[in-house]
Amino acid sequence: MAVKHEQENGLLLDDDGRTRRTGTLWSCIAHIITAVIGSGVLSLAWSVAQLGWIAGPIAMLCFAIVTYVSVVLLSGCYRCPDPVTGTRNYSYMDAVRVNLGKTQTCLCGMFQYLYMYGIGIAYVITTSTCMSAIRRSNCYHEKGHAAPCEHKDIPNMLMFGAVQIVASQIPDFHSIKWLSVIAAIMSFAYSFTGFGLGFAEVIGNGMIKGSIAGVPASTRTKKLWLAFQALGDIAYSYPYALVLLEIQDTLKSPPPENKTMKKASMIAMILTTFFYLCCGCFGYAAFGNNTPGNLLTGFGFYEPYWLIDFANACVVLHLVGGYQLFSQPVFEFVERWFSEKFPSNGFVNKFYKFKLPLLHCFHINLFRICFRTAYVVSTTAIAAVFPYFNQVLGLLGALNFWPLAIYFPVEMYFVQNKIEAWTRKWILLRTFSLVCLLVSIVGLIGSIEGIITAKFG
């Protein structure tokens, strides 16, 4: 599409009237890697340990391939009806609404916002365990590895919740760009630290631990549940369908945005998969059957304690920003719905000016304060009741994987490309979707079983 060179306030505009897009292949790769690599990388060593030396790496490779297929299908939906010259869809739900209609959009929204809410719960759990790990690491360093250094997670959850209640009053998504940059830097810092510690442990051991079958379990059924849960954890670590179209919307054209996205995704998936294999496999090679659920908090590593403290602090800083990145779209959706539903209600729509000394004037809305506070309190309360890192990540991965990364992209591809039923392409994609659905179901079952077992014994 040719760019119209009109100007507004000195800015070049694209053909849709928005500020001219300047994204390139390399900026797209950076966005994708930042979106994919997160706290899920810390559970990959445990996942490989449950699946073993053959099934574990193969599972990660399969999820990488499936994610790329999903990208190929979804990237063509950025423009409709033609993937090169059609009208832009700025978000995932825009694409679903244009291609699949209102009912499917409501279903998509339910899965999307449920997943974002679940991410908030997972981040509360992860942050509290990392804060506890910092205190335990210092305790072990001072008193020895056998010292009783256990710390409760609940106070840390309450502290994180209090911070998020304040941070949640940030008006909208566009006001937290600086928070996103910090979060991205932190995610790379702790991910590379986890990989480096695992690599150093393998060198120090002088051997590669682990087995083809993975960690033994008391019964075959228990082994099956753990393998299913591991698949859910891996599923959590890969897909980025929720933000793919937003990333694609940053790309300049020509070349066509979908071609740039496919190329960037291929490069990003290769780099990410290599990094994931290194983290997961070196972690398992270092600890074998004793591989912890979280490389940085399970205390496979005790020294250097300052590096472990630094990595866990990076996780905490990342998740402070990450919580807002996933919560702000929910806030915006709910507040917009109430505003449209009750346009004359002062509690919902009226803003009050509030001035603090030496600071800018704040605009306070009572509904925003009440709703966002209740939202943070609810995620904190659920995390306190179910504080199980691997199980919760597996549950979220299984819930998100099939509907958002597979089902909707496949259905939109059928509509946009007018694929008729029972043709070869239709059968292949239906089979692909069905297999991914089965993987999601077993991952969901394994994670739910893991939560029940951890909660009730």
Side-chain angles (χ1 to χ4, degrees), residues 46 63 224-236 390-401 435-451:
W46 181 88
F63 273 102
L224 199 61
W225 293 139
L226 291 171
F228 288 170
Q229 187 181 319
L231 290 176
D233 280 5
I234 297 173
Y236 173 84
N390 293 90
Q391 294 89 331
V392 170
L393 291 194
L395 181 67
L396 290 172
L399 280 174
N400 169 58
F401 176 63
V435 171
C436 291
L437 172 60
L438 294 176
V439 172
S440 279
I441 290 173
V442 299
L444 185 65
I445 292 172
S447 299
I448 292 174
E449 191 278 337
I451 290 174

Side-chain angles (χ1 to χ4, degrees), residues 338-339 342-352 364-368:
F338 271 92
S339 181
F342 308 102
S344 59
N345 189 296
F347 177 73
V348 174
N349 296 292
K350 189 173 181 180
F351 284 81
Y352 302 89
I364 295 176
N365 174 265
L366 294 178
F367 176 75
R368 174 187 290 173

Side-chain angles (χ1 to χ4, degrees), residues 73 409-419 425 429:
L73 299 176
V410 167
E411 295 302 316
M412 288 191 286
Y413 181 83
F414 284 158
V415 171
Q416 190 160 342
N417 293 275
K418 299 178 174 61
I419 305 296
K425 188 173 289 187
L429 287 174

Side-chain angles (χ1 to χ4, degrees), residues 43-112:
S43 70
L44 291 177
W46 181 88
S47 299
V48 174
Q50 307 311 312
L51 297 170
W53 273 122
I54 294 178
I58 288 176
M60 281 196 274
L61 290 172
C62 287
F63 273 102
I65 293 169
V66 167
T67 300
Y68 182 71
V69 172
S70 170
V71 168
V72 170
L73 299 176
L74 188 56
S75 62
C77 300
Y78 172 63
R79 289 182 181 268
C80 293
D82 186 89
V84 177
T85 61
T87 304
R88 288 183 172 93
N89 295 308
Y90 302 110
S91 70
Y92 192 98
M93 285 186 68
D94 285 344
V96 173
R97 182 174 59 254
V98 168
N99 287 283
L100 302 179
K102 185 177 180 180
T103 302
Q104 294 276 47
T105 303
C106 291
L107 187 63
C108 172
M110 182 189 72
F111 278 110
Q112 183 173 338

Side-chain angles (χ1 to χ4, degrees), residues 22 25 166-167 192 197 312 340 382:
T22 58
L25 172 69
V166 175
F192 276 103
L197 288 170
N312 279 300
E340 293 171 355
I382 294 173

Side-chain angles (χ1 to χ4, degrees), residues 155-453:
N156 297 328
M157 291 183 180
L158 296 177
M159 193 183 307
F160 182 74
V163 170
Q164 291 303 335
I165 287 174
V166 175
S168 292
Q169 304 311 315
I170 294 172
D172 54 43
F173 194 82
H174 301 289
S175 302
I176 57 173
K177 291 180 179 178
W178 59 273
L179 212 56
S180 179
V181 172
I182 294 173
I185 295 171
M186 294 301 104
S187 69
F188 277 99
Y190 68 71
S191 297
F192 276 103
T193 301
F195 161 59
L197 288 170
F199 180 78
E201 188 76 14
V202 172
I203 299 299
N205 292 338
M207 62 178 293
I208 295 175
K209 298 182 179 180
S211 64
I212 292 177
V215 178
S218 55
T219 64
R220 289 184 179 180
T221 304
K222 182 65 176 176
K223 177 66 178 177
L224 199 61
W225 293 139
L226 291 171
F228 288 170
Q229 187 181 319
L231 290 176
D233 280 5
I234 297 173
Y236 173 84
S237 303
Y238 266 108
Y240 54 100
L242 278 179
V243 295
L244 184 142
L245 294 184
E246 282 85 347
I247 294 173
Q248 195 165 335
D249 190 45
T250 67
L251 299 175
K252 63 182 179 182
S253 176
E257 300 93 345
N258 63 333
K259 289 187 177 180
T260 304
M261 175 57 76
K262 290 173 186 176
K263 187 175 180 180
S265 294
M266 172 65 77
I267 296 171
M269 279 296 99
I270 291 173
L271 294 174
T272 301
T273 303
F274 174 76
F275 183 64
Y276 277 7
L277 285 170
C278 288
C279 288
C281 293
F282 275 113
Y284 182 40
F287 301 109
N289 293 343
N290 297 317
T291 302
N294 182 327
L295 269 183
L296 295 178
T297 64
F299 282 91
F301 308 107
Y302 289 94
E303 300 292 342
Y305 80 99
W306 58 268
L307 184 58
I308 297 166
D309 287 355
F310 168 76
N312 279 300
C314 288
V315 176
V316 173
L317 289 174
H318 171 213
L319 299 188
V320 167
Y323 186 100
Q324 288 303 311
L325 287 174
F326 283 98
S327 298
Q328 287 288 340
V330 182
F331 297 158
E332 182 183 354
F333 171 76
V334 173
E335 288 163 11
R336 185 175 66 247
W337 186 89
F338 271 92
S339 181
E340 293 171 355
K341 193 75 172 177
F342 308 102
S344 59
N345 189 296
F347 177 73
V348 174
N349 296 292
K350 189 173 181 180
F351 284 81
Y352 302 89
K353 288 186 177 180
F354 183 71
K355 183 75 169 68
L356 288 175
L358 305 178
L359 294 176
H360 293 292
C361 183
F362 295 95
H363 291 82
I364 295 176
N365 174 265
L366 294 178
F367 176 75
R368 174 187 290 173
I369 291 175
C370 293
F371 168 69
R372 296 188 180 194
T373 300
Y375 181 95
V376 174
V377 169
S378 66
T379 57
T380 305
I382 294 173
V385 176
F386 301 102
Y388 312 117
F389 176 75
N390 293 90
Q391 294 89 331
V392 170
L393 291 194
L395 181 67
L396 290 172
L399 280 174
N400 169 58
F401 176 63
W402 181 73
L404 296 177
I406 308 299
Y407 171 74
F408 288 113
V410 167
E411 295 302 316
M412 288 191 286
Y413 181 83
F414 284 158
V415 171
Q416 190 160 342
N417 293 275
K418 299 178 174 61
I419 305 296
E420 295 183 2
W422 303 109
T423 59
R424 179 181 296 178
K425 188 173 289 187
W426 186 91
I427 293 172
L428 282 174
L429 287 174
R430 283 286 181 220
T431 304
F432 169 73
S433 181
L434 179 61
V435 171
C436 291
L437 172 60
L438 294 176
V439 172
S440 279
I441 290 173
V442 299
L444 185 65
I445 292 172
S447 299
I448 292 174
E449 191 278 337
I451 290 174
I452 293 172
T453 300

